[in-house]
Amino acid sequence: MSIKLRTSLWFTLMVLLLSVMILVFVLVINGAAVTGDPAERLVKVVTKNTEDVEFDNGKFDWDDLDLYKKGVSCSVYNIDGEFLKGAVSESIDLSGYPLKDGLLREESFNGKDYLIYDTYVDMDVSGIWIRGLVENVWSSGLMDTIITLTFILLPSILVLAFGGGWLISWGAFRPMNKILAAADSISGGSDLSARINLKRGPSEMKKLSRSFDSMFERLQKSFETERQFASDASHELRTPITVILAQCDRAKRKDKTPEDFTNSINVIEEQTRNMSQLVQGLLGLTRLQHGTDRYKLKKADLSQFCLACAGEFVPEDDRGIELTCNVENGIEAEFNAALMQRLIQNLLQNAYKYGREKGHVCLTLKKADGRAVLSVKDDGIGIAPDDIDKIWQRFWQADPSRNESGSSGLGLSMVKEIAEFHGGTARVESSPGKGSEFIITI
Ligand code: ADP
């Protein structure tokens, strides 16, 4: 049974129960007024009023009398039959109607049957008459209303309750189809970019749609980084593997001298080291994008940290370059130490690699607009304006011949990923032949 049907049935059942409860309540509280023998009701009400009349200091006190009760209208007359007080209907004129003690009479007024009952209250010195009038029907007008409500209005209310419940739940669950369609197309692998993007609908569904969309986003990113990893790895490893296989072939030839053999081993070793570096770099990058390694952020003194990194820095090849630090004191930031060290190392390594021989590299840290700005500046070869946007791409290198010295073209991609991981940005300012400055804002 669908949720829509269940909800609507529940609504209807509740309305039905409520109506039955109200009906029972009305009948229990005022049952006698709406049903029962009218003669019995008439005599009871008049007799009760008779008992409530008091005579004090030569005056009647009839304040406690019920002049209208259980459908019975009562009126009070003096000993001479003159009307004193009471609930009289304008359409029924009882003024000339003789008062008769203890007699129950039937009379017709305006085409309706009534019962009349009079009693004389004797107070020795004086007396009064109490007359009761009731419609001679076993069910009163109130009962007719209840019957009308029960048999005409109640079914309409039930239909309304069912229809309303159905409509509300239909409206609430309609966006579900959109969510299911998006989930289906993603699980079918046909369209990873599918999103629900629910603009209208109940707030709960909009929330659900937003969480699904962010989950789909993560899924898409995760699939794409994996795909990228596989394609990058297979592409980049192809060359070193070919070189290794060629060297193995060469080494196996019988007429090779021990020097040739050692050369082949050296080439294989270098290629293997390159491969290992490349795989490590790629893995680090993929993990960062993937979020598989949970890099924790911690608030710490970035100034001290930068100085420590610069102090520990060992260039891959020392070309007589001088490193200076221009670090503002006491800059605090939330960062991951391992990643930040990697970022600084990569930038310094590049500055030394592409810097001028016996040149100058400067590491700067300052605060601007509440953000920490870290920069590494060199006075080396610089970057051509056309290449400025390309340097952040994986494996991109201005001069691929440097690949043999162990560069993989992943360093700056990692720098950018780390900066973005910290909610920051990475950019470069460079002029060919003069030098470059890499600026990281976090
Ligand atoms: P790798 O240094 O391993 O080649 P990177 O991703 O670190 O890879 O750098 C990509 C490319 O950007 C380099 O090959 C180089 O052409 C250029 N580049 C990086 N840093 C500098 C720099 N400080 N000066 C000039 N060019 C640079």
Side-chain angles (χ1 to χ4, degrees), residues 304-343:
Q304 290 293 329
F305 187 80
C306 285
L307 289 173
C309 285
E312 287 163 14
F313 175 68
V314 182
E316 272 165 11
D317 67 302
D318 190 359
R319 297 164 56 229
I321 293 173
E322 188 195 359
L323 171 66
T324 52
C325 293
N326 182 8
V327 173
E328 220 174 87
N329 269 335
I331 297 182
E332 296 243 309
E334 259 200 357
F335 62 93
N336 177 278
L339 291 179
M340 196 51 76
Q341 187 182 16
R342 186 101 163 254
L343 178 144

Side-chain angles (χ1 to χ4, degrees), residues 346-347 350-355 376 378 380-383 390-393 395-399 402 406-414 430 435-438:
N346 283 4
L347 290 180
N350 277 354
Y352 269 70
K353 217 190 303 177
Y354 306 105
V376 174
D378 64 65
I381 58 170
I383 304 161
K390 298 180 194 157
I391 56 166
W392 307 104
Q393 291 168 14
F395 306 113
W396 188 88
Q397 291 176 312
D399 179 8
R402 284 176 183 266
S407 347
S408 56
L410 285 175
L412 288 180
S413 311
M414 194 73 190
S430 179
S436 319
E437 183 176 12
F438 286 84

